[in-house]
Amino acid sequence: LSNLQTFLQKCRDWKLTILDLPTAYWHQLTSELAMTDLVLPESLRLVIIGGERALPERVQTWQKVVGTHPQLVNTYGPTEATVYKLPASAPEDTALPEVPIGRPLRYVQAYVLDKYLRLTPAGVPGELHIGGVSLARGYLNRPELTGEKFIPNPFSDEPGARLYKTGDLVRYLSDGNIEFLGRIDNQVKIRGFRIELGEIEAVLGQHLAVRETVVIATEDYLGDKRLVAYIIPQSDRVPTASELRSFLKEKLPNYMVPSVFRTL
């Protein structure tokens, strides 16, 4: 609570009008505003969130506690597209199962395509492909990955036009907004960090006491995500959680180290 008090006081001291927050922190902020008598600074007119899925129940809490001022905007945009390409105001219909990620900005094209690169009708899921002037050139020193993710744009006559394959499963809604449904691969986002579960499994499998492993992302009742690793040991010697955690910290950043280890 003291951290939130300090944060809000700094916002007041600096007379901030816009906050651009990771969704995970906004989730925490919303929960604490609902449980305390703290209020947002009057100077705020806009709160932007992004980085991972916004929980519909937190939007409902926000609208109940905060109302419509400051305005809440949910955004979507991977680094490869120079971030924030699809903004959406928080829906007034709080019964929606998901919070829309928005519509493409004027200089951005957003295509929802099937595996044959055909456009899907509204309501039908497909992979989101992003085009436009803001696309990155590619991945540094990784030409194969660049060729895999940045493909020629079949809907453009402009020479060299490309689309970025986001790997995100989405669908167009009838009002033109896009709804995020999940991933088409094993990539997850936790507190805004992209995490490839297979990369953790590969490193964990290098431990001499581990025969097989599977890593998953789970959500608690508050919607907070964490990594859980399931282990089958090589022999009767079962590695401890602290041993496995120390092993992973030597090879991976902290945000990729599971918080829970289960032996099967």
Side-chain angles (χ1 to χ4, degrees), residues 42 50-51 103 110 113 119 134 146 163 174 191 198 200 209 211 223 229-230 234 238 248 256:
E42 294 182 359
R103 310 168 186 234
L113 308 178
L119 291 167
S134 64
T146 297
L163 293 178
S174 58
R191 296 184 298 280
I200 304 173
R211 178 159 64 91
Y230 293 89
Q234 284 283 12
V238 178
L248 289 177
M256 293 182 69

Side-chain angles (χ1 to χ4, degrees), residues 228-244:
V228 179
Y230 293 89
I231 305 294
I232 297 179
Q234 284 283 12
S235 61
D236 292 338
R237 190 184 82 78
V238 178
T240 65
S242 59
E243 178 185 351
L244 294 173

